[in-house]
Amino acid sequence: MAEGKIPSRSDDYSGWYLRTIQEAKMVDYGPVKGTMVIRPYGYALWENVQQALDTRFKATGHVNAYFPLFIPYSFLQKEAEHVEGFSPELALVTHAGGEELAEPVVVRPTSETIINHYYSQWVQSWRDLPILINQWANVVRWELRTRPFLRTSEFLWQEGHTAHAAFEEAEEETLKMLGVYADFAVNEAAIPVIQGRKSENERFAGADNTYTIEAMMGDGKGLQSGTSHNLGQNFAKAFDIQFLDQDNERKYVWQTSWGLSTRMVGAIIMTHGDDNGLVMPPRLAPHQVVIVPIWRKESEREAVLALTDEVEAKLRDAGIRVTSDRDDSHTAGWKFNEWELKGVPIRIEIGPRDVAKNAVVFARRDRPGREGKEFGIAVDSVAATAQQWLDDIHDSLLARATAFRDENIIDVDDYEQFKAVIANNQWARVWWAGSNAQEQQIKEETSATLRCFPLDQPDERGICFFSGNPNAEIALFGKGY
RNA sequence: CGGGGCGUAGCGCAGCCCGGUAGCGCGCUUCGUUCGGGACGAAGAGGUCGUGGGUUCAAAUCCCGCCGCCCCGACCA
């Protein structure tokens, strides 16, 4: 159907991904290694991600602010683990204004340091807490191995940075925002995610605990799709963020940070896409409905376009994001394929036969080709039908992705089986209480990483499948992006 | 940073072994016929062959250097 325009996912998953996003005009490569241009169709998806998240942030009491892109290098150095974690991938500005700078300036890889520099000034009293700030920004990390959306040297994200009076409040905030991400992923992006805790090896540099929403892509690889960190008092101590509590004691604040990036766009593509191209989750799709008017003779054109106008207006009035493709330099069949490549959830076809019946044809993207078509949808019911279809498609995408994920998580209790499961691009679900070194050993031997310890654990503990240690937790291992 | 691949028209590629007028498909422009699953015809436009040097009467092609990008791995959202 795609006429060889894109490789099939089974033949060449990476090629499928790279070609699809370019053919669909989501992205172009930037002129500098590892950078990308997010084209209007890709950016529209990101804007819908932003809106859905921003609404949730506001609803949970957060406010937006903006901090500078340039950060003094000395700020990074204040937190030892943090600078150690990030220095390999920092972009440093050493010259500006035609002169060498007295102190090099880093382009932010994340904003903990600069934000906490200000928090130390803004926080005096327990009455100043909590601080619940989010920032939408770009960040730069000089990556060795890049891939559009999944890992680029510059990417867009939001980063929440909060400060609290008590440890419990910070832990609650960390998990609350993880829950917000999970809710967003499931209910907006139709991506089933597992909420979990990262291992020490995988933890954010400078965090006491890192939590993740972990998703399985169409090739079985894992993708950390959003993270939430409990920073403890590490940055509070490094930046001296203290407040006078109600008991008249000076105390360090407890902090969190949490982020979700344009990587989510990659997650959406790799979770739902098929061999015909993108499949957009209905609630985030730039266009939820595309209307393709069809006419044979000039005499039919007017009536077809009149009905197109009518249907488009009904959908728009119902709050549905709709567009119509009236370009007469392409045939209807060409347009069908093109909009399928772009993943629009619902296509409505309107031709002379439909005009005669005062009805239209609906086609759903999650069932490509003729199987997904339904004829004779009455014009009066287009808005209600479209709304219902969008919900159905969302549910069906989520159900399909959930089934795929669950089929590919295998319970494992010995290392040979573990290796076989990983080699088969699946995830292994195991009891784990091994050391960091043993976790590293598994990574070297199988290239699988500990994706997370799911928050949802059985009541009892088990015996570690690898070390034999008691008191093990359930962990998921798999290859990751 | 290791391994592999590729730089020739907007995109995808052939041409390179064996040096001699730069080609094909798609796309683009104009006109006409078309249009319910990637239409057809005609006429056009478009390339300092990544870059610097060397060999040669002559280099996309042979030799040396450099640069860039992609893919696979190690590090990371």
Side-chain angles (χ1 to χ4, degrees), chain A residues 198-199 201-202 214 220-224 418 422 426-430 432 438-453 475-481:
Chain A
K198 283 289 183 186
S199 67
N201 287 2
E202 301 283 328
E214 208 66 29
K221 285 192 186 171
L223 188 74
Q224 177 174 318
F418 181 97
I422 297 303
Q426 296 174 304
W427 291 7
R429 186 171 175 272
V430 299
W432 180 257
Q438 286 171 321
E439 184 185 328
Q440 184 63 29
Q441 181 193 341
I442 287 180
K443 184 174 175 180
E444 281 162 17
E445 290 175 2
T446 69
S447 81
T449 50
L450 204 171
R451 304 312 306 167
C452 69
F453 299 100
L476 296 171
F477 280 81
K479 292 179 193 164
Y481 275 101

Side-chain angles (χ1 to χ4, degrees), chain A residues 270-344:
Chain A
M270 291 199 299
T271 298
H272 301 306
D274 65 18
D275 284 349
N276 293 325
L278 302 175
V279 176
M280 290 283 185
R283 291 168 197 164
L284 298 175
H287 306 300
Q288 296 173 305
V289 175
V290 60
I291 304 175
V292 178
I294 303 157
W295 62 86
R296 210 182 294 260
K297 309 187 202 87
E298 202 56 26
S299 57
E300 294 163 340
R301 177 188 176 120
E302 197 178 337
V304 165
L305 289 182
L307 184 56
T308 300
D309 287 340
E310 184 184 344
V311 170
E312 192 168 0
K314 279 184 193 297
L315 294 173
R316 184 162 291 129
D317 290 348
I320 292 168
R321 294 188 293 274
V322 57
T323 188
S324 57
D325 184 354
R326 297 157 192 250
D327 180 352
D328 59 6
S329 67
H330 290 296
T331 62
W334 191 93
K335 293 177 185 174
F336 295 168
N337 286 289
E338 185 69 10
W339 289 107
E340 275 172 12
L341 172 68
K342 290 194 159 194
V344 178

Side-chain angles (χ1 to χ4, degrees), chain A residues 253-274:
Chain A
V253 296
W254 299 86
Q255 295 190 277
T256 81
S257 69
W258 26 276
L260 185 147
S261 72
T262 35
R263 169 177 266 194
M264 177 56 70
V265 172
I268 289 168
I269 295 160
M270 291 199 299
T271 298
H272 301 306
D274 65 18

